[in-house]
Amino acid sequence: MIKLRIFPLENDIEFNEDYINILEIEDKKMFAQFIYSLNRLINYNEESEEIILLEGNKRLSISKDVMLIHDLFNVDVNESKILKALHLDIENQYRQEYSEVNLLEKFSDVIQNINDIVASYDFEFEYKREITIKELLKTINFKFDSNYYDNPFDNIMCIFDLVSTFKLYKLIVVVNAKCYFKEEELVEIYKAAKYRNINLLIIEPIVDINLKYLENKLSIDNDYDEFILKM
Protein backbone atom coordinates (compact mmCIF):
# COMPACT_ATOMS: atom_id res chain seq x y z
CA MET A 1 0.00 0.00 0.00
CA ILE A 2 1.16 3.52 -0.87
CA LYS A 3 0.97 5.99 1.98
CA LEU A 4 1.65 9.75 2.15
CA ARG A 5 2.76 11.13 5.49
CA ILE A 6 2.58 14.91 5.96
CA PHE A 7 3.95 16.72 9.02
CA PRO A 8 2.28 17.92 11.22
CA LEU A 9 -0.90 16.05 10.23
CA GLU A 10 -1.96 13.25 12.56
CA ASN A 11 -3.51 11.15 9.78
CA ASP A 12 -1.62 9.54 6.91
CA ILE A 13 -3.18 9.45 3.46
CA GLU A 14 -3.47 5.81 2.42
CA PHE A 15 -4.14 4.91 -1.19
CA ASN A 16 -6.56 2.13 -1.93
CA GLU A 17 -8.11 0.84 -5.15
CA ASP A 18 -11.58 1.34 -3.67
CA TYR A 19 -11.52 5.15 -3.53
CA ILE A 20 -9.89 8.42 -4.64
CA ASN A 21 -8.18 10.53 -1.99
CA ILE A 22 -9.06 14.18 -1.54
CA LEU A 23 -6.95 16.47 0.68
CA GLU A 24 -8.70 19.70 1.66
CA ILE A 25 -6.69 22.44 3.40
CA GLU A 26 -8.79 25.44 4.37
CA ASP A 27 -5.94 27.61 5.66
CA LYS A 28 -4.50 29.34 2.58
CA LYS A 29 -1.00 29.70 4.02
CA MET A 30 -0.82 26.01 4.93
CA PHE A 31 -2.23 25.07 1.51
CA ALA A 32 0.32 27.18 -0.35
CA GLN A 33 3.21 25.95 1.82
CA PHE A 34 2.34 22.32 1.18
CA ILE A 35 2.20 22.81 -2.61
CA TYR A 36 5.45 24.80 -2.49
CA SER A 37 7.24 22.12 -0.46
CA LEU A 38 5.98 19.28 -2.65
CA ASN A 39 7.01 21.15 -5.78
CA ARG A 40 10.54 21.66 -4.43
CA LEU A 41 10.88 18.01 -3.46
CA ILE A 42 9.91 16.98 -6.99
CA ASN A 43 11.83 19.55 -9.03
CA TYR A 44 14.98 19.90 -6.94
CA ASN A 45 15.34 16.30 -5.78
CA GLU A 46 15.35 17.38 -2.16
CA GLU A 47 14.54 15.23 0.85
CA SER A 48 12.37 16.25 3.75
CA GLU A 49 10.89 14.72 6.87
CA GLU A 50 7.78 16.87 6.43
CA ILE A 51 6.47 14.97 3.38
CA ILE A 52 7.23 11.25 3.15
CA LEU A 53 5.98 8.73 0.59
CA LEU A 54 5.95 5.09 1.67
CA GLU A 55 5.24 1.79 -0.01
CA GLY A 56 4.81 -0.60 2.86
CA ASN A 57 7.82 0.16 5.06
CA LYS A 58 9.95 1.33 2.13
CA ARG A 59 10.49 5.05 1.66
CA LEU A 60 10.05 6.16 -1.94
CA SER A 61 11.69 9.05 -3.77
CA ILE A 62 9.18 11.86 -4.19
CA SER A 63 11.19 13.38 -7.06
CA LYS A 64 11.01 10.09 -9.00
CA ASP A 65 7.67 8.66 -7.93
CA VAL A 66 5.31 11.66 -7.69
CA MET A 67 3.87 13.74 -10.53
CA LEU A 68 2.45 17.13 -9.54
CA ILE A 69 -0.09 18.79 -11.84
CA HIS A 70 -1.05 22.34 -10.91
CA ASP A 71 -2.22 23.65 -14.30
CA LEU A 72 -4.45 21.29 -16.25
CA PHE A 73 -4.43 23.58 -19.29
CA ASN A 74 -0.66 23.20 -19.63
CA VAL A 75 0.18 19.59 -18.89
CA ASP A 76 3.52 18.61 -20.41
CA VAL A 77 2.93 15.27 -22.13
CA ASN A 78 6.49 15.52 -23.47
CA GLU A 79 8.33 15.87 -20.19
CA SER A 80 11.70 14.14 -20.04
CA LYS A 81 10.62 11.09 -18.04
CA ILE A 82 7.68 10.38 -20.35
CA LEU A 83 9.72 10.72 -23.56
CA LYS A 84 12.53 8.53 -22.22
CA ALA A 85 10.01 5.80 -21.43
CA LEU A 86 8.39 6.15 -24.86
CA HIS A 87 11.71 6.02 -26.74
CA LEU A 88 12.92 3.02 -24.71
CA ASP A 89 9.71 1.12 -25.39
CA ILE A 90 9.93 1.83 -29.14
CA GLU A 91 13.58 0.79 -29.18
CA ASN A 92 12.84 -2.51 -27.41
CA GLN A 93 9.94 -3.31 -29.72
CA TYR A 94 11.99 -2.41 -32.81
CA ARG A 95 14.78 -4.74 -31.76
CA GLN A 96 12.35 -7.59 -31.17
CA GLU A 97 10.61 -7.04 -34.50
CA TYR A 98 13.52 -6.22 -36.81
CA SER A 99 16.69 -7.28 -34.94
CA GLU A 100 18.53 -4.21 -36.22
CA VAL A 101 20.60 -1.88 -34.10
CA ASN A 102 22.83 0.13 -36.46
CA LEU A 103 20.51 2.28 -38.55
CA LEU A 104 23.30 3.91 -40.56
CA GLU A 105 23.19 0.87 -42.80
CA LYS A 106 19.81 2.17 -43.99
CA PHE A 107 21.36 5.51 -44.92
CA SER A 108 24.34 4.28 -46.91
CA ASP A 109 23.43 6.44 -49.93
CA VAL A 110 23.15 9.53 -47.76
CA ILE A 111 26.50 8.83 -46.08
CA GLN A 112 28.12 8.30 -49.49
CA ASN A 113 26.71 11.61 -50.75
CA ILE A 114 28.11 13.40 -47.71
CA ASN A 115 31.49 11.76 -48.26
CA ASP A 116 31.45 12.92 -51.89
CA ILE A 117 30.74 16.50 -50.80
CA VAL A 118 33.42 16.69 -48.10
CA ALA A 119 36.01 15.04 -50.37
CA SER A 120 36.64 18.47 -51.87
CA TYR A 121 37.75 19.83 -48.51
CA ASP A 122 41.39 19.66 -47.51
CA PHE A 123 40.51 18.36 -44.06
CA GLU A 124 40.10 15.07 -42.30
CA PHE A 125 36.70 14.20 -40.80
CA GLU A 126 35.26 11.55 -38.54
CA TYR A 127 31.73 10.52 -37.66
CA LYS A 128 29.85 7.86 -35.76
CA ARG A 129 29.72 4.56 -37.59
CA GLU A 130 26.43 3.52 -36.05
CA ILE A 131 23.26 5.04 -34.67
CA THR A 132 20.64 3.41 -32.44
CA ILE A 133 16.87 3.72 -32.52
CA LYS A 134 16.99 5.78 -29.32
CA GLU A 135 19.48 8.22 -30.84
CA LEU A 136 17.42 8.49 -34.02
CA LEU A 137 14.22 9.23 -32.10
CA LYS A 138 15.99 11.99 -30.19
CA THR A 139 17.55 13.40 -33.38
CA ILE A 140 14.22 13.68 -35.20
CA ASN A 141 12.54 15.02 -32.03
CA PHE A 142 9.99 12.21 -31.93
CA LYS A 143 7.33 13.15 -29.39
CA PHE A 144 3.62 13.39 -28.70
CA ASP A 145 1.60 16.00 -30.58
CA SER A 146 0.89 18.42 -27.74
CA ASN A 147 -1.65 20.34 -29.84
CA TYR A 148 -3.88 17.28 -29.78
CA TYR A 149 -4.30 17.52 -26.00
CA ASP A 150 -5.75 20.99 -25.53
CA ASN A 151 -8.27 20.82 -22.69
CA PRO A 152 -8.10 19.78 -19.02
CA PHE A 153 -10.21 16.64 -19.37
CA ASP A 154 -8.25 15.22 -22.32
CA ASN A 155 -4.98 16.28 -20.67
CA ILE A 156 -5.58 14.38 -17.45
CA MET A 157 -6.89 11.31 -19.29
CA CYS A 158 -3.79 11.33 -21.46
CA ILE A 159 -1.54 11.53 -18.40
CA PHE A 160 -3.41 8.59 -16.85
CA ASP A 161 -2.84 6.55 -20.02
CA LEU A 162 0.86 7.45 -20.17
CA VAL A 163 1.52 6.72 -16.50
CA SER A 164 -0.38 3.44 -16.71
CA THR A 165 1.23 2.30 -19.99
CA PHE A 166 4.81 3.09 -19.05
CA LYS A 167 4.56 2.61 -15.24
CA LEU A 168 6.00 6.07 -14.64
CA TYR A 169 4.82 7.26 -11.22
CA LYS A 170 3.53 5.81 -7.97
CA LEU A 171 1.34 8.85 -7.29
CA ILE A 172 -0.29 11.66 -9.28
CA VAL A 173 -1.17 14.82 -7.36
CA VAL A 174 -3.58 17.30 -8.96
CA VAL A 175 -4.13 20.76 -7.48
CA ASN A 176 -7.53 22.49 -7.72
CA ALA A 177 -8.98 19.82 -10.01
CA LYS A 178 -12.52 20.65 -8.96
CA CYS A 179 -12.19 24.13 -10.44
CA TYR A 180 -11.97 22.60 -13.91
CA PHE A 181 -14.61 19.90 -13.96
CA LYS A 182 -18.30 19.30 -13.47
CA GLU A 183 -19.31 16.58 -11.03
CA GLU A 184 -19.99 14.02 -13.77
CA GLU A 185 -16.56 14.73 -15.28
CA LEU A 186 -14.91 14.24 -11.90
CA VAL A 187 -16.63 10.88 -11.55
CA GLU A 188 -15.33 9.85 -14.98
CA ILE A 189 -11.82 10.92 -13.94
CA TYR A 190 -12.06 8.96 -10.69
CA LYS A 191 -13.26 5.87 -12.55
CA ALA A 192 -10.46 6.21 -15.09
CA ALA A 193 -7.84 6.43 -12.36
CA LYS A 194 -9.25 3.35 -10.62
CA TYR A 195 -9.45 1.37 -13.87
CA ARG A 196 -5.78 2.12 -14.60
CA ASN A 197 -4.69 1.40 -10.99
CA ILE A 198 -3.43 4.96 -10.55
CA ASN A 199 -2.97 6.43 -7.09
CA LEU A 200 -4.56 9.86 -7.37
CA LEU A 201 -4.57 12.68 -4.82
CA ILE A 202 -6.73 15.77 -5.38
CA ILE A 203 -5.74 18.81 -3.29
CA GLU A 204 -8.27 21.58 -2.73
CA PRO A 205 -8.08 24.88 -0.76
CA ILE A 206 -11.61 24.64 0.58
CA VAL A 207 -13.42 22.26 2.94
CA ASP A 208 -16.58 20.69 1.55
CA ILE A 209 -18.52 18.31 3.79
CA ASN A 210 -20.21 16.73 0.77
CA LEU A 211 -18.70 13.54 -0.62
CA LYS A 212 -18.77 12.69 -4.29
CA TYR A 213 -18.76 9.17 -5.67
CA LEU A 214 -15.55 7.25 -4.79
CA GLU A 215 -14.13 10.06 -2.65
CA ASN A 216 -12.22 9.60 0.60
CA LYS A 217 -11.45 12.93 2.26
CA LEU A 218 -8.96 14.26 4.75
CA SER A 219 -10.03 17.82 5.58
CA ILE A 220 -8.09 20.35 7.66
CA ASP A 221 -10.03 23.43 8.74
CA ASN A 222 -8.72 26.85 9.75
CA ASP A 223 -8.25 25.64 13.34
CA TYR A 224 -6.03 22.81 12.00
CA ASP A 225 -8.52 20.20 13.13
CA GLU A 226 -8.58 17.10 10.93
CA PHE A 227 -11.69 15.35 9.69
CA ILE A 228 -11.91 12.10 7.74
CA LEU A 229 -14.90 11.56 5.48
CA LYS A 230 -15.50 8.27 3.70
CA MET A 231 -18.18 6.84 1.44
Side-chain angles (χ1 to χ4, degrees):
M1 176 184 289
I2 301 294
K3 181 186 302 183
L4 187 65
R5 184 167 294 162
I6 305 169
F7 179 84
L9 300 185
E10 295 180 359
N11 294 281
D12 294 339
I13 299 175
E14 297 181 349
F15 295 88
N16 186 295
E17 61 182 14
D18 295 330
Y19 48 75
I20 300 297
N21 282 290
I22 312 296
L23 174 61
E24 297 176 333
I25 304 176
E26 191 171 31
D27 182 80
K28 299 299 185 287
K29 184 177 181 180
M30 182 180 182
F31 174 85
Q33 181 60 45
F34 174 70
I35 301 302
Y36 172 79
S37 299
L38 184 60
N39 186 67
R40 287 195 61 88
L41 291 175
I42 292 172
N43 292 321
Y44 297 98
N45 198 21
E46 297 180 351
E47 289 191 5
S48 170
E49 296 304 314
E50 294 185 355
I51 304 176
I52 297 174
L53 186 67
L54 298 169
E55 185 171 21
N57 294 322
K58 177 185 177 183
R59 182 167 179 172
L60 301 176
S61 169
I62 289 181
S63 65
K64 294 180 180 179
D65 294 316
V66 178
M67 183 180 198
L68 175 63
I69 302 174
H70 49 73
D71 181 0
L72 281 167
F73 278 106
N74 295 289
V75 175
D76 186 7
V77 297
N78 289 305
E79 69 169 42
S80 176
K81 186 169 184 176
I82 293 174
L83 282 188
K84 285 180 180 178
L86 171 67
H87 291 179
L88 179 61
D89 189 64
I90 292 174
E91 182 179 28
N92 290 336
Q93 292 194 50
Y94 189 95
R95 286 178 172 175
Q96 293 175 7
E97 185 72 22
Y98 303 105
S99 301
E100 295 180 10
V101 178
N102 184 12
L103 299 182
L104 284 184
E105 296 173 0
K106 298 292 186 180
F107 301 106
S108 57
D109 291 343
V110 175
I111 298 299
Q112 184 59 52
N113 291 339
I114 293 174
N115 286 333
D116 291 343
I117 292 171
V118 301
S120 61
Y121 299 143
D122 191 21
F123 303 102
E124 294 297 323
F125 300 94
E126 63 177 8
Y127 57 86
K128 293 180 65 173
R129 300 295 176 174
E130 63 178 38
I131 184 170
T132 65
I133 286 289
K134 183 167 62 176
E135 291 170 327
L136 177 63
L137 292 172
K138 186 174 182 180
T139 299
I140 66 175
N141 196 25
F142 188 90
K143 61 182 180 180
F144 296 98
D145 183 0
S146 58
N147 293 322
Y148 183 78
Y149 310 99
D150 61 356
N151 66 79
F153 188 83
D154 287 346
N155 284 344
I156 196 168
M157 289 299 189
C158 176
I159 288 298
F160 286 174
D161 286 337
L162 291 172
V163 170
S164 176
T165 299
F166 299 116
K167 305 295 187 293
L168 295 174
Y169 297 99
K170 300 284 189 180
L171 173 63
I172 297 177
V173 179
V174 183
V175 181
N176 290 327
K178 295 187 179 182
C179 295
Y180 296 90
F181 305 114
K182 299 177 182 178
E183 182 168 346
E184 56 268 26
E185 290 176 318
L186 282 171
V187 171
E188 288 303 311
I189 289 168
Y190 295 167
K191 289 180 178 179
K194 278 175 52 63
Y195 178 77
R196 293 164 177 78
N197 295 316
I198 288 173
N199 295 312
L200 177 65
L201 175 63
I202 306 292
I203 305 179
E204 298 291 331
I206 187 170
V207 171
D208 180 5
I209 62 173
N210 298 308
L211 277 175
K212 294 180 175 60
Y213 179 65
L214 295 177
E215 287 187 344
N216 181 34
K217 285 188 182 183
L218 173 59
S219 301
I220 300 96
D221 65 14
N222 280 323
D223 296 321
Y224 304 106
D225 292 326
E226 299 177 29
F227 302 90
I228 296 177
L229 301 174
K230 293 184 179 182
M231 291 294 292

